[in-house]
Amino acid sequence: MEGNCFNQRVFLVTLLLLIVATLVEGQGTRVGFYSSSCPQVESIVKSVVQSHFKSDPTVAPGLVRMHFHDCFVQGCDGSILIDGSNTEKTAPPNQLLRGYEVIDDAKTQLESACPGVVSCADILALAARDSVVVTGGATWVVPTGRRDGTVSQASDASNLPSFRDTVDVQKQKFSAKGLNTQDLVTLVGGHTIGTTACQFFSYRLYNFTSTGPDPSIDQSFVSQLQALCPQNGDGSRRIGLDTGSANRFDNSFFANLRDGKGILESDQRLWTDDSTKTFVQRFLGIRGLLGLTFSVEFGKSMVKMSNIEVKTGTAGEIRKVCSKVN
């Protein structure tokens, strides 16, 4: 009997150590992390996002994209926010990110209310959620407790998902971060809000094949896009990623993929590849398939993404200023 009790104690201690190890390795976020140390954190971030959104609606899709780019490089540790000549924000995929001033504003207010408590990484995670809500999307509960990274290198951003990626490459990049094919389709659905520049898709409109434009684009839509992005025109001109609904968080993005109106090549490929097309159809409620509610699934996938390689416990730091390592 004593031997059994001893074995049970050993098992419980081993299990506890495994749980602690898991927390240290980055799964230590939890809902209400700041409930005692800074209970007003969510209301402050929400208020700041709403204020900036009123004067500049582009910050909403900007913050969602920034959170995504942060999590895919060094984990969700706010390293995208660090200034410097060779930091992540200087890498080509990150040069057009916007919304840094929102994070800085929220950090300033939080440092006044709760000095040295709330991480920049958590502010970004909360701001991304609040950005979805202000554009009409459903809310979700954001686990917090991330700490800020101290390393930010442009070279680490080279493996971010790209607008020319095949579905196989996209799946590979998402899988490497613990995200499955449904997460991929769901998170790319974040393109329901925001814009892109002509330079990232105009190659599809002219001489894409020996016979002309990308055949996956609806023929009548090609002429519309050519009018917006003429050959050898202004490559920096911004075009909505979700035609007809670029400022509303809804599932019309998937209807556009079905209709051959995806702007980025990587987006449109989600419809032409069978492994991802099924999820697009499920978001559209295609008869005979088990439906998925985009606004609900987006929150679930965002929580999964926001826990990628997070730093908790004594790892990292709590920055005083989000753009500078302490």
Side-chain angles (χ1 to χ4, degrees), residues 44-60 63 99-107 109 127 131 134:
I44 288 176
V45 174
K46 179 181 179 180
S47 175
V48 169
V49 170
Q50 289 175 335
S51 175
H52 281 267
F53 177 75
K54 285 178 182 176
S55 58
D56 180 10
T58 67
V59 300
L63 289 166
Y100 293 107
E101 69 280 7
V102 183
I103 305 303
D104 291 340
D105 189 358
K107 180 62 171 174
Q109 293 191 32
S131 295
V134 295

Side-chain angles (χ1 to χ4, degrees), residues 63-80:
L63 289 166
V64 174
R65 184 169 174 234
M66 188 189 295
H67 184 40
F68 179 94
H69 282 222
D70 182 42
C71 290
F72 265 67
V73 181
Q74 297 282 346
C76 309
D77 66 350
S79 52
I80 188 69

Side-chain angles (χ1 to χ4, degrees), residues 25-27 67-77 79 88 155-161 169-181 183-184 187 300-311:
E25 287 174 6
Q27 299 303 316
H67 184 40
F68 179 94
H69 282 222
D70 182 42
C71 290
F72 265 67
V73 181
Q74 297 282 346
C76 309
D77 66 350
S79 52
E88 287 174 36
S155 57
D156 290 335
S158 61
N159 204 38
L160 278 165
V169 169
Q170 291 182 71
K171 288 197 292 187
Q172 202 172 45
K173 290 179 177 179
F174 275 70
S175 178
K177 300 300 179 183
L179 301 170
N180 60 32
T181 303
D183 295 317
L184 160 62
L187 291 170
K300 291 179 183 177
S301 290
M302 283 290 278
V303 169
K304 279 182 71 174
M305 185 193 77
S306 71
N307 271 313
I308 294 174
E309 301 163 22
V310 297
K311 296 167 179 64

Side-chain angles (χ1 to χ4, degrees), residues 15-30 144-147 307 309-315:
L15 182 62
L16 183 60
L17 288 173
L18 284 171
I19 292 172
V20 170
T22 302
L23 292 174
V24 170
E25 287 174 6
Q27 299 303 316
T29 59
R30 60 182 172 84
T144 46
R146 299 165 192 78
R147 287 171 65 83
N307 271 313
E309 301 163 22
V310 297
K311 296 167 179 64
T312 57
T314 56

Side-chain angles (χ1 to χ4, degrees), residues 96-139:
L96 295 177
L97 289 178
R98 59 187 70 193
Y100 293 107
E101 69 280 7
V102 183
I103 305 303
D104 291 340
D105 189 358
K107 180 62 171 174
T108 298
Q109 293 191 32
L110 285 166
E111 281 300 298
S112 176
C114 322
V117 173
V118 181
S119 70
C120 300
D122 276 342
I123 294 172
L124 181 51
L126 291 167
R129 186 270 312 274
D130 294 337
S131 295
V132 169
V133 175
V134 295
T135 52
T139 190

Side-chain angles (χ1 to χ4, degrees), residues 13-286:
V13 169
T14 303
L15 182 62
L16 183 60
L17 288 173
L18 284 171
I19 292 172
V20 170
T22 302
L23 292 174
V24 170
E25 287 174 6
Q27 299 303 316
T29 59
R30 60 182 172 84
V31 174
F33 182 85
Y34 298 110
S35 58
S36 298
S37 58
C38 191
Q40 63 270 59
V41 56
E42 296 209 19
S43 61
I44 288 176
V45 174
K46 179 181 179 180
S47 175
V48 169
V49 170
Q50 289 175 335
S51 175
H52 281 267
F53 177 75
K54 285 178 182 176
S55 58
D56 180 10
T58 67
V59 300
L63 289 166
V64 174
R65 184 169 174 234
M66 188 189 295
H67 184 40
F68 179 94
H69 282 222
D70 182 42
C71 290
F72 265 67
V73 181
Q74 297 282 346
C76 309
D77 66 350
S79 52
I80 188 69
L81 305 169
I82 298 173
D83 284 340
S85 59
N86 194 36
T87 57
E88 287 174 36
K89 65 165 61 175
T90 68
N94 295 330
Q95 287 174 0
L96 295 177
L97 289 178
R98 59 187 70 193
Y100 293 107
E101 69 280 7
V102 183
I103 305 303
D104 291 340
D105 189 358
K107 180 62 171 174
T108 298
Q109 293 191 32
L110 285 166
E111 281 300 298
S112 176
C114 322
V117 173
V118 181
S119 70
C120 300
D122 276 342
I123 294 172
L124 181 51
L126 291 167
R129 186 270 312 274
D130 294 337
S131 295
V132 169
V133 175
V134 295
T135 52
T139 190
W140 65 88
V141 177
V142 178
T144 46
R146 299 165 192 78
R147 287 171 65 83
D148 296 321
T150 57
V151 176
S152 183
Q153 299 176 330
S155 57
D156 290 335
S158 61
N159 204 38
L160 278 165
S162 167
F163 58 93
R164 287 182 184 258
D165 284 348
T166 65
V167 168
D168 282 344
V169 169
Q170 291 182 71
K171 288 197 292 187
Q172 202 172 45
K173 290 179 177 179
F174 275 70
S175 178
K177 300 300 179 183
L179 301 170
N180 60 32
T181 303
Q182 180 175 324
D183 295 317
L184 160 62
V185 177
T186 304
L187 291 170
V188 170
H191 287 166
T192 180
I193 53 173
T195 62
T196 188
C198 289
Q199 62 184 303
F200 298 121
F201 69 90
S202 59
Y203 68 91
R204 302 178 66 205
L205 310 177
Y206 308 96
N207 305 316
F208 184 82
T209 67
S210 58
T211 57
D214 184 342
S216 68
I217 307 176
D218 176 76
Q219 193 170 0
S220 63
F221 192 49
V222 170
S223 57
Q224 292 180 46
L225 292 178
Q226 288 175 334
L228 294 168
C229 300
Q231 197 166 15
N232 302 318
D234 180 6
S236 65
R237 184 175 183 180
R238 308 295 298 185
I239 305 298
L241 283 163
D242 185 6
T243 300
S245 181
N247 298 314
R248 291 194 307 276
F249 199 94
D250 53 29
N251 73 342
S252 65
F253 170 78
F254 299 111
N256 277 326
L257 298 187
R258 177 198 61 202
D259 297 339
K261 295 181 178 180
I263 302 298
L264 300 181
E265 185 179 11
S266 56
D267 289 356
Q268 189 58 52
R269 282 174 165 165
L270 298 183
W271 180 257
T272 57
D273 186 286
D274 287 341
S275 67
T276 49
K277 181 179 182 178
T278 299
F279 292 106
V280 176
Q281 291 175 318
R282 290 175 68 185
F283 282 131
L284 290 172
I286 301 297

